[in-house]
Amino acid sequence: MIMLKLQKVTKSFNVGTVNEKCVLKQINLELNDGDFVTVIGGNGAGKSTMLNMIAGVYPMDSGIITLDGENVSLYPEYKRAQLIGRVFQDPMMGTAADMQIIENLAIAKRRGKKRTLHWGVTKGEKDEYYNAVKELGLGLEERLTSKVGLLSGGQRQALTLLMATLNKPKLLLLDEHTAALDPATSAKVLKLTQQIIEREHLTALMVTHNMKDAIDVGNRLIMMYDGHIIYDVRGEEKRNLTVADLLKKFEEASGEEFVNDRMLLG
Ligand SMILES: Nc1ncnc2c1ncn2[C@@H]1O[C@H](COP(=O)(O)OP(=O)(O)OP(=O)(O)O)[C@@H](O)[C@H]1O
Ligand SMILES: [Mg+2]
């Protein structure tokens, strides 16, 4: 079953100015239910823009986006947020620092639902959150009433991941969500990501600047260059890839050297 379909998705920025730039050029992409796709590419290739188009952050110039058979092309961002979970690079973005862990979870749980008079957290919900947080393996379940602002970056990303997947989204979008973390924490959050995606059988797109992670994680890998998907590989062929193979593929397709600042920094 196809979960996500992009048909000729096109996006330009600064149209009609000297800075006009076509960033996504008739992108076609189909994700099966349960596909976990890693996305790599150089600076400015269009990776974040593709995720932003799917999430409805900006309107497309043209094209069609279908999610689980539903044409969402004209849905505003908040409406797509009921169907799509997202985690960004910045650990500060996904959670509310001034609120407790449990309050953040309750808000995530109610996202897109009609508000009821019973805004308080029920005992049943409390147990659900306790168990979900416990499964992160970070000991946060005993700190459910702590303010999120007191958590480390890695703990916050883990919590954001949990919040993004609490209502089992049809699609999970991860944009370099481990890039701001130190290597050990990054590995931990990546592991959690894999566990949650597998356990919940989620369909996911994960942008990463780390080619090794892109090879090791997920069942499919796509490479973007200059607004195009230039390489799409899955299954055993993906598992057998090396970083050297990826760099070679990139150079063949682009005629350029692979440059990604975050890769160089990481
Ligand atoms: N809101 C915007 N307004 C104008 N230009 C934009 C906007 N968002 C992105 N761009 C431009 O679109 C191009 C693609 O950007 P995008 O963020 O999608 O790249 P990326 O592949 O995610 O790169 P990186 O690895 O650096 O994160 C870049 O040239 C960028 O400057
Ligand atoms: Mg980006």
Side-chain angles (χ1 to χ4, degrees), residues 39 57 110 154 160 173 195 223 234:
V39 184
V57 178
R110 284 163 176 72
T160 306
L173 299 176
Q195 283 169 358
M223 185 189 282
R234 63 189 90 196

Side-chain angles (χ1 to χ4, degrees), residues 47-48 175-176 207 262:
K47 305 179 296 293
S48 296
D175 194 350
E176 304 208 37
V207 177
R262 280 193 266 291

Side-chain angles (χ1 to χ4, degrees), residues 2 39 151:
I2 293 165
V39 184
L151 304 182

Side-chain angles (χ1 to χ4, degrees), residues 27-45:
I27 294 271
N28 293 311
L29 179 66
E30 269 185 21
L31 264 56
N32 289 320
D33 188 17
D35 264 349
F36 178 4
V37 183
T38 56
V39 184
I40 58 170
N43 290 129

Side-chain angles (χ1 to χ4, degrees), residues 222-234:
I222 62 178
M223 185 189 282
M224 294 185 69
Y225 171 73
D226 191 27
H228 296 283
I229 293 172
I230 57 168
Y231 185 47
D232 185 347
V233 61
R234 63 189 90 196

